[in-house]
């Protein structure tokens, strides 16, 4: 199912390429798939821009196999609340408790406007203002992700966004799940549109007769959703382009191999998920290999997990835990688990990761559902330069500058000199004319 690699300088580059899904065959296959999907997405976006609702409902019937119209495609708060009532009280309670923790964590991220005044009458500052409207995508096809809805909507509400819409595919009867409705009700969603795919992203970006266009689109989705978000960037803001789920588990000789294998499978069960174990113990590597084989036999999603491990899984033996962290920093995984003794002592060595899980009792799903930090994280190595979705994604920062006459006189020589150095004489004259 999955072999063991002993990392050396000679094979390090090849291992990293495989960990990133960059073997020649996989790159060519991915390129072909993406190229073909992009053609479809481009056509959908242009069609939505031209025909609006007509195109929106056409693609929804074609791909989601559900016929909708302007009335049946929309749910307002009262309708959302009615569907939410169908969810069993204990499940509703689970969502509500998770939402409370998510809100508490994200409230700590909120920034305020600030101003600094100089003695010469100079005032500099920064206004922090929320985005006016946001559209969140909540997957509802093979997996109905109520948790992702919470992770998108709650930070937006904490930031002060006035209008939050959610797009999610309806089932064959034109309904959405009570769990998704409960999450939307608890998070304070203003409107749910019961369609998904590239057509939903295009509608949010450009608007239709039924869909009010928004300022920013966030949330995970399949390849077509990701490509659509990429295509509409500039017309609207987006969070990031999410790829398949990833986990890298760093484990020492004392780690429990059953825990490590279970955590790898928690991401491998996602389609095209990546699951990597880095360890300084050959014995632990062999034990994890056996545990994967044992656990996958009884896993309901075992077929998907086996495919992910075959294509994107790896167990690697490295000289020591510091070497494992150096390798992980190059992988820049979405999720990084440190199943090692004194896990906190290694935290300063983590440079690139979407989220870090420390110690044997912090499995990745705790972060997915309950802990509070956002689970919409950078994938595909983007943790080198991207951050998790957060309150900052839903605000704008505006610089504020006010100079008194005295302040301008003090700065004039430097400002005009800089302008003349760049041969922009009108810039310099805009200062001189005031003096």
């Amino acid at each position: 199912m999955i072999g063991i690699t002993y990392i050396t300088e000679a094979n390090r580059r090849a291992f990293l390429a495989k960990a990133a899904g960059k073997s020649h065959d996989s790159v060519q296959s991915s390129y072909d798939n993406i190229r073909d999907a992009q053609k479809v997405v481009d056509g959908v976006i242009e069609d939505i821009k031209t025909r609006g609702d007509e195109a929106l409902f056409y693609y929804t019937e074609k791909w989601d196999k559900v016929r909708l119209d302007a009335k049946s495609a929309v749910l307002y708060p009262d309708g959302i609340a009615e569907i939410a009532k169908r969810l069993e009280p204990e499940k509703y309670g689970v969502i509500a408790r998770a939402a409370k923790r998510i809100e508490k964590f994200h409230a700590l991220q909120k920034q305020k406007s600030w101003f600094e005044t100089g003695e010469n009458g100079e005032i500099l500052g920064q206004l922090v203002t929320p985005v006016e409207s946001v559209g969140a995508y909540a997957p509802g096809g093979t997996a109905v992700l109520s948790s992702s809805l919470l992770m998108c909507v709650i930070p937006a509400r904490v930031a002060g966004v006035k209008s939050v819409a959610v797009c999610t595919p309806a089932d064959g009867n034109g309904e959405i799940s009570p769990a998704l409705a409960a999450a939307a009700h608890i998070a304070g969603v203003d409107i749910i549109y019961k369609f998904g795919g590239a057509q939903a992203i295009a509608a949010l970006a450009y608007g239709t007769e039924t869909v009010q266009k928004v300022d920013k689109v966030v949330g995970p989705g399949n390849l077509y959703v990701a490509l659509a978000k990429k295509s509409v960037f500039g017309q609207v803001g987006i969070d990031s382009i999410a790829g398949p789920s990833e986990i890298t588990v760093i484990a020492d000789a004392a780690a429990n191999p059953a825990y490590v294998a279970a955590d790898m499978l928690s991401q491998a069960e996602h389609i095209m998920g990546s699951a990597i174990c880095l360890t300084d113990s050959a014995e632990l590597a062999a034990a994890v290999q056996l545990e994967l084989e044992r656990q996958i036999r009884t896993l309901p999603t075992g077929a998907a997990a086996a495919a992910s491990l075959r294509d994107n899984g790896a167990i690697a033996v490295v000289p020591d835990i510091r070497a494992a962290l150096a390798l992980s920093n190059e992988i820049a995984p979405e999720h990084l688990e440190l199943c090692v003794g004194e896990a906190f002592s290694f935290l300063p060595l983590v440079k690139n990761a979407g989220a870090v899980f420390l110690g044997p009792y912090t499995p990745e799903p705790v972060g997915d559902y309950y802990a509070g930090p956002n689970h919409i994280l950078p994938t595909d190595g983007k943790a080198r330069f991207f951050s998790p979705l957060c309150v900052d994604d839903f605000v704008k920062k505006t610089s504020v500058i006010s100079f008194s006459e005295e302040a301008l006189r003090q700065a004039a020589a430097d400002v005009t000199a800089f302008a003349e150095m760049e041969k922009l004489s009108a810039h310099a004259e805009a200062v001189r004319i005031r003096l």
Side-chain angles (χ1 to χ4, degrees), residues 43-44 47-48 55-64 199:
V44 168
D47 207 8
I48 294 290
L56 176 61
F57 298 136
Y58 165 77
Y59 291 116
T60 298
E61 184 173 3
K62 178 181 179 180
W63 289 320
D64 295 341
Q199 66 269 27

Side-chain angles (χ1 to χ4, degrees), residues 42 95 204 234 239 275 278 281 390 393 402 432:
D42 290 344
I95 296 173
L204 289 171
D239 48 352
L278 305 177
S281 167
C390 66
D393 287 295
S402 176
R432 292 193 187 102

Side-chain angles (χ1 to χ4, degrees), residues 319-343:
D320 53 42
I321 297 304
R322 285 178 173 268
L325 281 158
L327 203 58
S328 174
N329 283 331
E330 292 188 68
I331 296 169
E334 178 187 18
H335 307 103
L336 171 63
E337 287 191 6
L338 298 184
C339 294
V340 297
E342 303 296 331

Side-chain angles (χ1 to χ4, degrees), residues 415-433:
V415 175
T416 54
F418 222 128
E420 297 291 1
M421 183 168 54
E422 296 189 346
K423 295 182 170 51
L424 294 172
S425 55
H427 282 60
E429 188 58 30
V431 173
R432 292 193 187 102
I433 201 171

Side-chain angles (χ1 to χ4, degrees), residues 283-309:
E283 292 77 13
L284 189 279
V288 169
Q289 188 181 46
L290 290 174
E291 275 293 330
L292 287 170
E293 294 175 359
R294 183 185 68 80
Q295 293 184 29
I296 208 166
R297 286 196 291 268
T298 59
L299 197 65
T301 52
S308 292
L309 289 176

Side-chain angles (χ1 to χ4, degrees), residues 174-249:
E175 300 291 337
I176 67 166
S177 81
L180 201 68
H185 177 64
I186 291 166
V189 170
D190 295 300
I191 190 168
I192 291 179
Y193 299 114
K194 296 190 289 184
F195 39 77
Q199 66 269 27
I201 303 301
L204 289 171
Y206 292 97
T208 71
E209 296 89 336
T210 296
V211 181
Q212 183 70 37
K213 68 178 180 179
V214 299
D215 296 317
K216 190 159 192 174
V217 177
V218 300
N222 63 18
L223 175 62
Y224 294 91
V225 170
L227 292 176
K229 286 173 65 178
K230 185 176 181 180
S231 294
V232 301
F233 177 62
Q235 170 67 21
V236 292
I238 62 171
D239 48 352
S240 63
I241 307 298
S245 295
E246 308 163 352
I247 189 168
T248 293
V249 182

